[in-house]
Amino acid sequence: MSARSFQFLSRWVAPPALGAASALGFAPFYLFPLPIVCLTAYFWLVARDDRHVLARSYLFGLGWFLAGVSWVYISLHDMGQLPAPVAVPATLGFAALLAVFPALAVWGATHLASGERVRWLIVAPIFLALADWTRGWLFTGFPWQALGYSQVPWSPLAGYAPILGVYGVSWLAALSAGLLLLRGRLGWLLLTGIWLAGLGLARVEWTQPSGAPVGVTLVQGNISQEQKFSPEKLTETLVMYRQFVVDSETPLVILPETALPVFIHDLPDWYLKELADPLRARGADLITGLAEQEGDERYFNSMVSMGHSPPQRFRKVHLVPFGEFVPFGFRWFVDLMHIPLGDFTRGEPAQPPMRVAGQRVAVNICYEDVFGEELIHALPAATLMANASNDAWFGDSLAPWQHLQIGQMRALETGRVWLRANNTGITAIVDAKGHVQARLAPFTRDVLVGQAQGRSGLTPFARWGNGAFLALALAGLIGAFLLARRR
């Protein structure tokens, strides 16, 4: 191979290829070392040839997100019925926007940090983790595919999640890549120490069991998105869910997001009675998803309880752009799609956990579980956490598996069992260490019956949120600045 050909490949082909290969580190593949190795290889390419860093880093990020979130096309085209000539550029544009974050992080590290050790051991890892964190709140936030998720649950770095959260794990993964790049005896000792400490932290019990385990039934109705809101399908859906509830034998039953695909005031009283009476007779409770309406223009994506305990509700707080509210200036784009109930009202922040089945269950809906810091307000009151979702929007793609992995991270951060009731999957019970205790196969109609242990206490992350990670990031950047001045 000629020198020119090698230079072309290393500059313009390798970066997007390495970024795309990193997707194999996430669920369902769980090859957690791979994103770190790919990042190390990319750092090496930049370290030996720092020309066109911004463009090459952008290509690395573009490969990362095109491989990781290409399922956006399914949501827009297959489910939203957006024409392909619009859906394809929209998907590419979305990935292109996300790629800006890692591109600026690496470019900033190479231009603001002098010295190989400062650049690759301090500034670049911190900037990449801060890029993930920034994606988590800017323009309402989209932290999906943050580097830290790839380390859950099997990597030793997952042991840091109860302290530093997902972005702290992103930082340690990027730091590991920097240590692999620079090697040397000190680098290997630091890398070994970080990973061994993670293994030790994974054995720490940050929270404690509270009371006896409770039996739970999680229902996976498997209603396709094309049929979910079809009037012809409504009766069949209501009958199916009623039968699952009547046949259940556990103290707690949870149905998915909008399992009953109508407003609650449109459900006949006799139907609600047939749901609640069998539960009330055996001292059990149901939490189910449906929509609520107040006045003429206030709609809520809600979870409501019925049965032995007093009725309670949770109204979704963090809404999905284009799916549940229309960002300013994009009404024309949403009008091209066919999404029912597409303009919801936010619920009140910091809603209390539901007191059901002898537990205090903190409920969140679908995409809300991507925002870990927004959920810790429910702690330490909540003994269990529950997510109700409808991942039918993503079809048979990587997204449902990635969503499960996100729930595994939340379990680690909060030190709580996570119950996941998902319309088409993946319905699962995740223990407080982020391991899947049991799950249903996706795209099957079934119930998952199991035991969930309520827990009390607070992890450091539940106490501080992202504060510990941000404090470490700030300290690291101040240290890098002082080193630069000293030189």
Side-chain angles (χ1 to χ4, degrees):
M1 180 185 297
S2 68
R4 180 173 293 182
S5 297
F6 178 79
Q7 185 182 74
F8 176 81
L9 290 173
S10 64
R11 282 186 182 177
W12 308 112
V13 177
L18 289 169
S22 300
L24 297 175
F26 295 82
F29 312 104
Y30 290 102
L31 301 176
F32 66 85
L34 192 57
I36 296 174
V37 171
C38 290
L39 190 56
T40 302
Y42 181 64
F43 282 175
W44 179 80
L45 290 175
V46 174
R48 66 183 297 273
D49 177 9
D50 61 1
R51 285 171 289 185
H52 311 294
V53 172
L54 183 61
R56 291 158 62 199
S57 299
Y58 184 79
L59 290 175
F60 178 83
L62 192 61
W64 181 288
F65 290 111
L66 279 177
V69 299
S70 57
W71 43 261
V72 168
Y73 175 81
I74 296 174
S75 300
L76 296 176
H77 178 262
D78 297 5
M79 306 304 168
Q81 300 181 37
L82 195 67
V86 181
V88 169
T91 303
L92 292 173
F94 184 60
L97 177 62
L98 296 177
V100 170
F101 293 90
L104 290 176
V106 177
W107 176 81
T110 59
H111 282 72
L112 298 178
S114 60
E116 293 292 290
R117 284 186 172 84
V118 171
R119 178 176 298 167
W120 302 117
L121 298 185
I122 301 178
V123 180
I126 291 175
F127 276 11
L128 283 167
L130 288 174
D132 279 349
W133 171 73
T134 304
R135 281 198 296 116
W137 54 264
L138 190 63
F139 305 126
T140 78
F142 187 81
W144 206 286
Q145 207 76 356
L147 177 60
Y149 286 121
S150 68
Q151 303 303 296
V152 173
W154 307 114
S155 168
L157 297 181
Y160 292 92
I163 305 172
L164 300 176
V166 63
Y167 305 122
V169 178
S170 291
W171 165 56
L172 291 170
L175 174 59
S176 298
L179 290 168
L180 286 172
L181 170 70
L182 297 182
R183 301 185 300 278
R185 181 177 299 177
L186 180 59
W188 287 119
L189 285 174
L190 285 173
L191 182 63
T192 302
I194 290 169
W195 284 55
L196 287 178
L199 288 174
L201 289 170
R203 302 177 65 87
V204 175
E205 293 292 333
W206 298 103
T207 58
Q208 305 78 41
S210 176
V214 62
V216 296
T217 298
L218 308 178
V219 180
Q220 185 170 289
N222 195 36
I223 307 295
S224 70
Q225 195 59 36
E226 296 88 345
Q227 296 180 319
K228 185 171 180 61
F229 294 99
S230 168
E232 295 79 12
K233 189 73 175 179
L234 177 60
T235 299
E236 178 186 338
T237 298
L238 295 178
V239 169
M240 181 265 294
Y241 279 121
R242 181 185 62 187
Q243 196 61 48
F244 276 135
V245 172
V246 170
D247 292 344
S248 65
E249 298 178 352
T250 60
L252 179 60
V253 183
I254 303 179
L255 306 188
E257 175 188 15
T258 57
L260 310 181
V262 292
F263 290 109
I264 189 170
H265 64 257
D266 289 332
L267 287 170
D269 290 341
W270 62 263
Y271 181 81
L272 294 173
K273 181 178 174 61
E274 288 190 7
L275 281 180
D277 283 356
L279 295 164
R280 195 175 294 115
R282 59 183 182 84
D285 289 297
L286 165 71
I287 302 175
T288 183
L290 42 68
E292 294 184 291
Q293 181 177 1
E294 284 187 357
D296 293 332
E297 297 182 353
R298 287 169 57 85
Y299 308 105
F300 299 92
N301 187 355
S302 302
M303 299 291 293
V304 301
S305 74
M306 58 187 75
H308 176 71
S309 302
Q312 297 153 80
R313 65 162 56 88
F314 170 81
R315 290 171 167 175
K316 189 174 182 181
V317 180
H318 200 126
L319 304 180
V320 181
F322 304 106
E324 292 173 321
F325 78 95
V326 182
F328 178 77
F330 282 90
R331 170 58 65 183
W332 64 272
F333 183 81
V334 174
D335 288 344
L336 292 174
M337 296 187 284
H338 299 273
I339 301 177
L341 304 176
D343 199 1
F344 285 99
T345 302
R346 293 177 70 245
E348 291 295 324
Q351 297 170 65
M354 293 186 181
R355 293 181 174 268
V356 291
Q359 300 288 325
R360 295 184 299 277
V361 182
V363 178
N364 54 87
I365 299 177
C366 195
Y367 166 79
E368 283 187 308
D369 67 350
V370 184
F371 305 94
E373 195 173 42
E374 295 182 8
L375 305 180
I376 59 176
H377 69 83
L379 302 172
T383 56
L384 295 172
M385 309 290 277
N387 175 266
S389 296
N390 176 29
D391 285 350
W393 282 108
F394 310 131
D396 187 8
S397 69
L398 298 177
W401 298 96
Q402 294 170 350
H403 199 186
L404 172 62
Q405 190 174 38
I406 287 167
Q408 292 174 272
M409 175 61 81
R410 297 290 89 83
L412 275 167
E413 289 176 346
T414 59
R416 296 295 192 275
V417 171
W418 275 68
L419 307 174
R420 304 187 75 256
N422 201 312
N423 173 31
T424 54
I426 299 165
T427 295
I429 300 173
V430 180
D431 70 19
K433 293 295 185 180
H435 297 114
V436 176
Q437 291 183 317
R439 68 171 178 84
L440 297 177
F443 303 103
T444 58
R445 179 172 295 178
D446 204 349
V447 295
L448 180 60
V449 180
Q451 297 285 312
Q453 175 63 64
R455 300 186 74 87
S456 61
L458 286 172
T459 64
F461 178 82
R463 191 181 302 274
W464 304 325
N466 290 319
F469 155 67
L470 292 173
L472 286 173
L474 179 60
L477 294 177
I478 291 173
F481 173 74
L482 293 177
L483 283 172
R485 288 201 63 182
R486 184 177 178 183
R487 285 178 179 169

